[in-house]
Amino acid sequence: MKNNLGKHTENENETETDLERKAISSLEDKRGQTLSLFDKAWMIKHADASLTTVPIHITDAIAPKSAGGIHDYYSNGDYWWPNPGTVDGLPYIRRDGESNPDNFDSHRMALRTARTHIAHLAAAYRVTGKEAYAEKAVQLLREFFLDEATRMNPHLLYAQAIPGICSGRGIGIIDTLHLIDVPAAVEALKPSPALTAAIYEGLKLWFSDYLTWMSTHENGIEEMNADNNHGVCWFVQAAAFAWFTGNEQMLSFCRARYKESLLPGQMAQDGSFPRELARTKPYGYAIFVLDNMVTLCHILSTPEDNLWSYTLPDGRGIRQGLSFLVPYLENKAAWPYPPDVEHDEGWPAKMPALLFAGLALHEPAYIELWQSLDPDPVDPEVRRNIAIRQPLLWL
């Protein structure tokens, strides 16, 4: 994963055009990628909206059923509903694929909203050099992760709790998948004086502490060993946070597990992911797991250990996964499996997998498909299942 960041200048005689030209030139990398792949007007529109947002805090919403405190993230499992056979509705029962709208999701939405604003602002800063974007992004980062009165504690002990059954589960670690955008945003903000050394080091410490928790606590270990999309998403997070904090040991561990566990244990010979196809929302889950497998290849690949070209002895690799799914992204009507029980109409949307794979594998058709898809899906579950809002930050 590369960040070729431009250097901030404090020369007051430089015009906005000069700043923008320097910022744009910094996007050039060894493969000749340019800003032309991205819709600059779309980025600026979203960043301008983010400039007016009030700071978002985990402490703004109290979770009445949480076993933790106001700084502790809390959520409920999506598919769990009150038990119709008991007076108090406990213990909750599971209805796969059917999200309970009455479950507590305020912390989840706060986390995702903060991440989205930070990513939009950082991307706009990178292409314009305007300090206002960086200053607002740093304010949001500081208040969400660092300030004692409003910070989120770096653990997920109480994520995806099930009333009447448990106060939190390992499966809940998928809730922080959206935080993978934050390290990329922070790196893009480094040229700004707003991102002081103390704030930068504080953010690195937060993500280091969270990575330590998710790789040593029993909930994290349980999620790490999950044999479906949850395991994949654990490794996506671990890889992104290890990249940010310079944890080479964890990066090596993630590469090994991709080869030894994720790929052979989850991908079928035809490139599909059978555990996702067996769900009540096979189309959405197939997109979701492949998007995250591709993100792993993007973060973890090095010239010496290129996961883009890695294949098992029987030929399974990321190309196989893309070859299976991309035709159904191009023509959803050809999808041979049942439609998703919910949110089917929201797919496909603009997943970064197509851009990353198109660039790495020299497949311009993937990039063209990525450019043609909706960057602003309104369906809440579709938005939840796209972990990266600003892929520009990842290049």
Side-chain angles (χ1 to χ4, degrees), residues 116-132:
T116 298
H117 286 308
I118 290 163
H120 286 327
L121 291 161
Y125 173 67
R126 192 171 175 197
V127 300
T128 69
K130 289 183 180 179
E131 279 301 315

Side-chain angles (χ1 to χ4, degrees), residues 125-170:
Y125 173 67
R126 192 171 175 197
V127 300
T128 69
K130 289 183 180 179
E131 279 301 315
Y133 294 131
E135 290 166 1
K136 185 66 176 186
V138 171
Q139 179 195 16
L140 297 178
L141 286 162
R142 177 175 49 78
E143 295 195 24
F144 193 89
F145 293 101
L146 302 181
D147 285 1
E148 288 300 320
T150 55
R151 75 192 297 263
M152 172 182 162
N153 286 333
H155 68 76
L156 250 59
L157 280 170
Y158 310 111
Q160 294 209 21
I162 306 170
I165 296 179
C166 66
S167 61
R169 299 180 293 161

Side-chain angles (χ1 to χ4, degrees), residues 269-300:
Q269 188 63 51
D270 65 355
S272 68
F273 289 81
R275 291 184 183 88
E276 313 310 326
L277 295 178
R279 303 293 295 272
T280 59
K281 293 184 284 192
Y283 191 66
Y285 272 109
I287 293 170
F288 178 66
V289 73
L290 183 65
D291 192 42
N292 283 286
M293 287 287 280
V294 166
T295 299
L296 268 179
C297 292
H298 182 72
I299 298 172
L300 295 173

Side-chain angles (χ1 to χ4, degrees), residues 170-192:
I171 202 172
I173 290 173
I174 203 169
D175 284 7
T176 46
L177 178 63
H178 292 267
L179 290 186
I180 64 173
D181 249 353
V182 173
V186 172
E187 290 298 321
L189 294 166
K190 280 181 72 176
S192 170

Side-chain angles (χ1 to χ4, degrees), residues 58-262:
I58 205 77
T59 54
D60 291 340
I62 304 301
K65 297 179 181 178
S66 175
I70 63 170
H71 296 280
D72 298 321
Y73 180 96
Y74 178 84
S75 66
N76 293 128
D78 295 310
Y79 307 143
W80 293 85
W81 296 70
N83 190 333
T86 62
V87 174
D88 60 2
L90 302 178
Y92 274 29
I93 60 172
R94 189 170 189 265
R95 288 157 49 176
D96 186 34
E98 299 179 43
S99 298
N100 182 351
D102 295 326
N103 283 343
F104 183 88
D105 67 351
S106 296
H107 289 174
R108 177 185 286 170
M109 295 309 298
L111 184 149
R112 285 169 46 194
T113 302
R115 176 291 311 262
T116 298
H117 286 308
I118 290 163
H120 286 327
L121 291 161
Y125 173 67
R126 192 171 175 197
V127 300
T128 69
K130 289 183 180 179
E131 279 301 315
Y133 294 131
E135 290 166 1
K136 185 66 176 186
V138 171
Q139 179 195 16
L140 297 178
L141 286 162
R142 177 175 49 78
E143 295 195 24
F144 193 89
F145 293 101
L146 302 181
D147 285 1
E148 288 300 320
T150 55
R151 75 192 297 263
M152 172 182 162
N153 286 333
H155 68 76
L156 250 59
L157 280 170
Y158 310 111
Q160 294 209 21
I162 306 170
I165 296 179
C166 66
S167 61
R169 299 180 293 161
I171 202 172
I173 290 173
I174 203 169
D175 284 7
T176 46
L177 178 63
H178 292 267
L179 290 186
I180 64 173
D181 249 353
V182 173
V186 172
E187 290 298 321
L189 294 166
K190 280 181 72 176
S192 170
L195 187 69
T196 65
I199 294 173
Y200 180 70
E201 292 303 322
L203 291 166
K204 287 183 69 174
L205 179 61
W206 193 98
F207 280 94
S208 178
D209 287 346
Y210 183 54
L211 179 57
T212 297
W213 179 84
M214 63 180 277
S215 58
T216 57
H217 190 273
E218 61 182 354
N219 285 8
I221 294 170
E222 175 187 340
E223 184 77 337
M224 178 185 74
N225 291 319
D227 61 2
N228 62 0
N229 68 83
H230 279 266
V232 174
C233 291
W234 187 97
F235 279 98
V236 170
Q237 293 184 71
F241 305 154
W243 167 81
F244 180 50
T245 59
N247 190 332
E248 292 296 333
Q249 182 177 3
M250 178 58 73
L251 289 169
S252 295
F253 175 65
C254 291
R255 291 186 191 100
R257 287 294 290 265
Y258 173 87
K259 298 175 183 178
E260 298 166 5
S261 176
L262 300 180

Side-chain angles (χ1 to χ4, degrees), residues 311-385:
T311 60
L312 297 172
D314 60 10
R316 282 179 291 169
I318 202 64
R319 277 188 182 272
Q320 194 83 338
L322 289 155
S323 296
F324 171 82
L325 188 62
V326 166
Y328 304 124
L329 301 177
E330 296 172 328
N331 179 19
K332 185 178 179 181
W335 180 246
Y337 299 91
D340 292 1
V341 296
E342 289 182 338
H343 311 284
D344 185 69
E345 65 283 353
W347 292 109
K350 200 165 192 155
M351 308 86 62
L354 291 168
L355 173 64
F356 295 159
L359 293 170
L361 300 175
H362 309 291
E363 293 281 358
Y366 292 173
I367 299 173
E368 291 170 9
L369 178 57
W370 172 76
Q371 291 176 316
S372 74
L373 293 170
D374 184 4
D376 291 312
V378 296
D379 187 290
E381 181 153 323
V382 173
R383 292 181 66 83
R384 186 185 73 179
N385 286 336

